[in-house]
Amino acid sequence: MDISPRIAVIDSGIGGTGVLDAIRQLAPWADIAYVADHAFGPYGERSLDQVRERTEVIARYLDTAGVELVVIACNSASAAALHHLREAMPETPFVGMEPAVKPAASLTRSGVIGVMATAATFQGTLFNDLVGRHASDVQIVTQACAGLAAAIEAGDDVGDLLDRYLEPMVTAGADVVVLGCTHYPIVRIDIEARLPDGVVVIDPAPAVAKRTVDVAHDAGVDLKGSGATWWWTTGFTPPLRPAGDSAISGIAWEPIDIPDGCPRAVRIADTTLSAVTGDITAMPVDAIVNAANVELMHGGGVALAIARAGGPAIDTESRAWIETYGVLEPGLAALTSAGAMPSSYVIHVAGPIWRSDADNESLLAAAALAAVDMADEISAATMAVPAVSAGIYGYPPDEATGVIVETIAEHLSETETTLHSVRFVGYDETMTLRFAGALDRLVLEP
Ligand code: APR
């Protein structure tokens, strides 16, 4: 049965796992994707605009994966982006985190509550609105806990940080402490050990889970799935899990390759397609595609960059290929190693020299198809593709990027593949945005 996630829980790392567990308690059969944005996090240390842009890219990606409700299980991201996301994507229900100031104000007897959070959470208007509405009559000791979420994420010892951050609220006589970042419940035991007996610690996860289920019901999201959890990380190699935290160690992360700075990513079947700016010769993927010529003479453009970065092996193996197979006809791909580059293979394809009287589109589509067929042949998991023919060969770049993206996307939607990620690489932001536009059109005109 082809199951796919209906709900997604997003955090910059493992902080949101407490929220996921709380949702699981209420909706054990829901199909849920947990997204750890390792390639970008921690959100608390990014500007509000960066967090807004990033969470929208992730949310739009999840929309193409079939997700119908998104939980922003991070206080900093909620403070920065929740309002923006609801405006940008009105058709998607979002559930956010907010520091449990309201319950804390109703619980306190000493009239003093402590709130631990990131600086970003305290900066957002959300927090000040909360205080104004629910806690104007109590004393609030706020503590921005710089570095705490990152230390928890990395599994470092947090004792000294907690001593420093909890001391002011203990001194002020707080009898309720709010954990205002989803990472903090992971070290709840260490926090409680530093508070006087009787102090209440509030973790907002159960309340957020209840809200999620209510919103899901209102939105008609089916919570009676197979109970599957997808563990997605935006980075290729997430940091090692903290050894002591059994709840989160040993997670089998599946990479959804959405590099920092990526303006658009979509999911087709089980493959992530992304638009990325950069130098293809430096990308840590299994295979990079070269925009070659039929003689494999790498004299300019990306071909020259590949020949230089890869070293002599590229030309040597290219000469051997031509000796054996002759010129590189349209629809064929030549394979060489990647030499000194971080990738393992170079898939050489010859796009068409654009001519007004030629069938440019089918020639370019044949080159793109040859590249993705070769990637499957070598069982590549990750591949990076430049704007073939859109340079020296003069193919109008808007059309070229569209043909390349549509051809590869169509292949992936119809064919079993080993590829879990394909990066469409612009050497400059302008070309990347053309690839991003082509990915958008995939979604809008499926
Ligand atoms: N990383 C990613 N993209 C790059 C890089 C790089 N290091 N260098 C160039 N590009 C981009 C260019 O900016 C362009 O958008 O690759 C795209 C393809 O441009 P060309 O390399 O000129 O390829 P093409 O238009 O297909 O012309 C192929 O040029 O390089 C020679 O030997 C090649 O004769 C062949 C012809």
Side-chain angles (χ1 to χ4, degrees):
M1 183 172 68
D2 180 18
I3 54 172
S4 66
R6 292 283 177 271
I7 292 178
V9 176
I10 302 180
D11 180 56
S12 56
I14 54 171
T17 51
V19 173
L20 172 66
D21 293 345
I23 295 171
R24 270 271 169 259
Q25 303 295 321
L26 302 178
W29 302 113
D31 289 325
I32 304 175
Y34 183 85
V35 180
D37 192 2
H38 288 120
F40 178 84
Y43 289 131
E45 275 135 46
R46 292 284 190 145
S47 75
L48 298 185
D49 282 346
Q50 284 177 316
V51 176
R52 284 185 192 123
E53 275 168 37
R54 180 67 177 181
T55 47
E56 184 177 344
V57 168
I58 304 288
R60 290 195 182 282
Y61 170 82
L62 291 169
D63 186 49
T64 65
V67 167
E68 297 169 28
L69 185 155
V70 176
V71 181
I72 307 288
C74 167
N75 291 73
S76 312
S78 295
L82 202 53
H83 179 69
H84 166 77
L85 286 167
R86 287 174 171 153
E87 288 207 325
M89 298 174 68
E91 72 291 344
T92 303
F94 288 94
V95 175
M97 301 290 294
E98 57 183 34
V101 166
K102 184 177 174 185
S106 65
L107 276 175
T108 179
R109 289 174 303 186
S110 67
V112 181
I113 64 176
V115 180
M116 301 170 70
T118 61
T121 298
F122 288 127
Q123 275 160 12
T125 54
L126 210 68
F127 182 73
N128 297 316
D129 291 352
L130 267 177
V131 172
R133 275 184 287 127
H134 304 302
S136 51
D137 57 344
V138 296
Q139 181 191 342
I140 298 183
V141 180
T142 57
Q143 179 62 55
C145 305
L148 183 54
I152 294 168
E153 182 73 32
D156 296 344
D157 179 89
V158 294
D160 293 346
L161 287 173
L162 292 180
D163 290 340
R164 184 170 3 128
Y165 292 148
L166 291 170
E167 194 274 329
M169 44 188 85
V170 172
T171 307
D175 61 353
V176 182
V177 170
V178 172
L179 304 184
C181 165
T182 48
H183 275 83
Y184 302 166
I186 292 172
V187 294
R188 178 179 186 144
I189 293 169
D190 302 316
I191 291 171
E192 288 175 332
R194 289 167 172 77
L195 297 171
D197 288 346
V199 173
V200 175
V201 172
I202 299 184
D203 166 7
V208 172
K210 173 82 177 65
R211 177 91 184 108
T212 300
V213 170
D214 292 347
V215 170
H217 282 309
D218 294 349
V221 176
D222 177 12
L223 296 182
K224 297 252 184 314
S226 62
T229 304
W230 289 256
W231 294 96
W232 285 342
T233 170
T234 58
F236 274 148
T237 50
L240 286 178
R241 299 269 60 77
D245 301 86
S246 58
I248 52 182
S249 57
I251 291 174
W253 293 100
E254 176 196 338
I256 50 169
D257 177 30
I258 306 177
D260 186 3
C262 163
R264 189 69 165 103
V266 303
R267 189 176 181 85
I268 295 211
D270 291 331
T271 307
T272 296
L273 281 62
S274 62
V276 179
T277 302
D279 177 350
I280 202 166
T281 67
M283 292 196 168
V285 292
D286 290 339
I288 60 174
V289 174
N290 179 25
N293 56 39
V294 295
E295 294 89 13
L296 293 184
M297 299 296 284
H298 309 307
V302 68
L304 180 58
I306 286 171
R308 281 185 175 147
I314 305 297
D315 280 329
T316 308
E317 293 176 38
S318 295
R319 298 279 57 76
W321 196 91
I322 294 292
E323 287 301 307
T324 310
Y325 300 105
V327 293
L328 183 57
E329 297 294 348
L332 280 187
L335 186 72
T336 68
S337 77
M341 289 185 281
S343 47
S344 304
Y345 295 99
V346 181
I347 298 174
H348 305 264
V349 293
I353 300 171
W354 194 83
R355 279 199 300 267
S356 55
D357 61 346
D359 184 357
N360 302 294
E361 185 169 331
S362 59
L363 288 168
L364 182 55
L369 195 56
V372 70
D373 278 340
M374 179 58 83
D376 281 339
E377 203 172 307
I378 59 175
S379 302
T382 55
M383 174 169 84
V385 187
V388 176
S389 286
I392 297 163
Y393 277 4
Y395 206 118
D398 280 322
E399 285 81 357
T401 49
V403 170
I404 294 165
V405 166
E406 283 151 28
T407 304
I408 291 177
E410 190 177 341
H411 170 85
L412 293 171
S413 63
E414 296 166 351
T415 321
E416 281 296 306
T417 178
T418 54
L419 284 168
H420 69 64
S421 106
V422 178
R423 291 179 176 188
F424 296 100
V425 180
Y427 202 34
D428 55 45
E429 186 69 22
T430 311
M431 192 63 82
T432 305
L433 290 175
R434 289 190 179 107
F435 274 127
L439 290 171
D440 261 342
R441 286 193 295 280
L442 281 184
V443 178
L444 299 175
E445 306 147 12

